[in-house]
């Protein structure tokens, strides 16, 4: 049997980004889902770390106050992605995450 590799894929700005999870510090899938649950419960902003084998990604999801159905996503502090920022409809982002699960 081959090794199963799980990745988080983000397509933004015409480019595909992939982040592989590691469970050394915590489960990045669990922290991502907990962050999304916090937004569903009405939080305006959530932050968490996604640890990969050699780097860490700092995620920040902030609700757009002018268009509350949208969220601003910022992923920073990593060797592969210096600063990835995009805005997305919250419902669409939830669906993309659930489909990748």
């Amino acid at each position: 049997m081959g090794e199963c590799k799980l990745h988080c894929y983000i397509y933004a700005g015409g480019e595909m980004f992939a982040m592989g999870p590691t469970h050394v510090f915590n489960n990045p899938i669990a922290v991502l889902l907990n962050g999304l649950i916090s937004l569903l419960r009405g939080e305006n902003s959530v932050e968490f770390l996604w640890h990969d084998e050699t780097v860490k990604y700092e995620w920040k999801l902030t609700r757009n106050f002018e268009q509350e159905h949208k969220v601003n996503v910022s992923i920073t502090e990593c060797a592969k992605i210096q600063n990835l920022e995009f805005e997305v409809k919250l419902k669409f982002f939830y669906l993309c995450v659930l489909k990748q699960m």
Side-chain angles (χ1 to χ4, degrees):
M1 290 192 146
E3 180 182 339
C4 178
K5 294 213 177 215
L6 301 173
H7 285 87
C8 170
Y9 295 101
I10 296 177
Y11 182 78
E15 293 185 61
M16 181 70 76
F17 301 94
M19 291 171 264
T22 183
H23 294 85
V24 173
F25 299 103
N26 56 27
N27 182 338
I29 295 170
V31 295
L32 171 63
L33 293 176
N34 287 335
L36 293 179
I37 288 169
S38 294
L39 288 174
L40 279 170
R41 290 183 175 159
E43 292 290 325
N44 291 321
S45 181
V46 295
E47 296 181 35
F48 56 88
L49 295 177
W50 178 292
H51 292 274
D52 202 338
E53 288 301 321
T54 59
V55 295
K56 68 180 177 186
Y57 305 90
E58 294 181 14
W59 287 61
K60 183 172 183 179
L61 290 83
T62 307
R63 195 177 301 276
N64 180 326
F65 294 110
E66 294 176 3
Q67 299 180 10
E68 293 185 8
H69 67 289
K70 293 183 178 179
V71 66
N72 295 308
V73 179
S74 173
I75 305 170
T76 58
E77 295 301 321
C78 112
K80 298 175 190 172
I81 305 169
Q82 294 301 317
N83 192 15
L84 175 61
E85 294 183 357
F86 58 94
E87 183 177 74
V88 64
K89 291 181 180 177
L90 195 52
K91 187 183 238 183
F92 181 73
F93 190 66
Y94 290 143
L95 289 172
C96 287
V97 170
L98 288 173
K99 293 258 184 199
Q100 288 195 57
M101 292 296 129

